[in-house]
Amino acid sequence: MIKEAHIEVRKQARLLISGEVSSAVEYLWIACHGYGQNVDRFVHKFKDLDEKHLVICPEGLSRFYSEGLSGDVVASWMTKRDRAREIEDHSHYIQKVYEKYKALCPNAKIILFGFSQGTATICRWFNREHPTADQLIMWAGSIPPDLNIKAEEDPFLNIPMHFVYGTEDIYIDEKNLVKLYGLFDSYGLHHIKKHQFEGKHTVHRPTLMKLFKEEIES
């Protein structure tokens, strides 16, 4: 008889950091990359931010080669295999990142950023741990449709939220937008601000800077 079992193991997670850790940091970003992304490249999407910012990009715990047995080393957050435990593992992981750098940058406003699959990851952690944060940016991704949210404990109602997508994003067409907006409404998240740019499934750096300057810094 075949049975499934689980055991906890120690694992060292990798982060890419843009900026200098300091109590003078004004904005602390925790930014989760998308599925199959190279985090070393992803972190450069934030290089237009100045020295007031510290950007922490956790790498997903599952790495693989982008081209079978070769190519870039990329990472993902979860698959359908053992999904609930992977979500739990990543939530513990991001919580440790949050606690460490929040303590090192005690005066910083905290911006939570998720791109594509990373949006679901950071939203699940946020819903699970209810951390103190100042902004939540969902870029080319959405809050998951399967969160167990209690109205009286809904952390998403108390944080400014932004949804950003490109006009040529192959994963976000008009039909998908209708579904996404319906999902936002079903959660009662009528305060989400929507932003569009001309482009594909990517973090568009000029749009990121415009969003920061007009919606966060102002």
Side-chain angles (χ1 to χ4, degrees):
M1 179 181 293
I2 298 174
K3 296 181 179 180
E4 182 177 287
H6 295 84
I7 185 171
E8 289 190 11
V9 298
R10 178 177 176 180
K11 182 176 176 64
Q12 296 187 57
R14 179 171 175 261
L15 314 174
L16 267 289
I17 302 173
S18 177
E20 297 296 329
V21 177
S22 164
S23 60
V25 168
E26 295 181 26
Y27 299 95
L28 171 61
W29 298 64
I30 299 178
C32 290
H33 62 79
Y35 173 82
Q37 278 200 300
N38 181 323
V39 70
D40 302 68
R41 293 181 179 176
F42 178 70
V43 71
H44 286 285
K45 296 294 185 179
F46 303 89
K47 67 181 182 180
D48 297 323
L49 298 170
D50 62 24
E51 66 278 357
K52 297 181 299 194
H53 300 259
L54 179 69
V55 182
I56 311 297
C57 296
E59 183 179 51
L61 297 178
S62 299
R63 297 191 193 110
F64 55 97
Y65 289 111
S66 61
E67 300 175 18
L69 298 177
S70 63
D72 285 350
V73 175
V74 296
S76 73
W77 293 102
M78 70 192 77
T79 64
K80 63 182 179 181
R81 176 71 55 81
D82 229 2
R83 183 169 173 271
R85 285 185 173 84
E86 283 200 325
I87 290 172
E88 183 178 359
D89 288 343
H90 283 114
S91 291
H92 286 312
Y93 167 26
I94 297 173
Q95 181 65 17
K96 283 186 173 293
V97 172
Y98 169 84
E99 290 174 354
K100 176 177 180 176
Y101 289 97
K102 184 176 184 293
L104 293 172
C105 307
N107 302 312
K109 292 183 178 179
I110 298 175
I111 302 171
L112 309 179
F113 182 100
F115 172 70
S116 196
Q117 188 195 45
T119 301
T121 296
I122 208 160
C123 284
R124 286 191 171 101
W125 159 70
F126 184 69
N127 184 60
R128 181 189 181 97
E129 299 292 343
H130 295 200
T132 300
D134 297 280
Q135 299 279 341
L136 173 57
I137 301 172
M138 305 183 296
W139 198 294
S142 170
I143 184 172
D146 57 354
L147 291 186
N148 180 22
I149 294 178
K150 298 179 181 179
E152 68 275 11
E153 300 175 0
D154 186 351
F156 296 98
L157 292 177
N158 298 314
I159 186 171
M161 298 178 68
H162 304 272
F163 170 63
V164 190
Y165 70 98
T167 55
E168 300 173 46
D169 193 319
I170 61 173
Y171 302 108
I172 305 177
D173 56 20
E174 288 299 323
K175 184 177 180 180
N176 288 333
L177 279 177
V178 171
K179 289 182 179 179
L180 284 176
Y181 294 162
L183 176 64
F184 297 161
D185 288 341
S186 72
Y187 280 130
L189 304 178
H190 308 297
H191 65 294
I192 294 177
K193 292 187 177 181
K194 304 173 181 69
H195 310 269
Q196 184 187 79
F197 64 92
E198 293 186 9
K200 300 181 180 180
H201 190 69
T202 186
V203 178
H204 185 245
R205 283 165 46 197
T207 300
L208 177 63
M209 290 303 298
K210 184 174 185 287
L211 173 64
F212 170 74
K213 289 182 178 299
E214 295 182 359
E215 299 287 349
I216 300 174
E217 185 179 44
S218 61

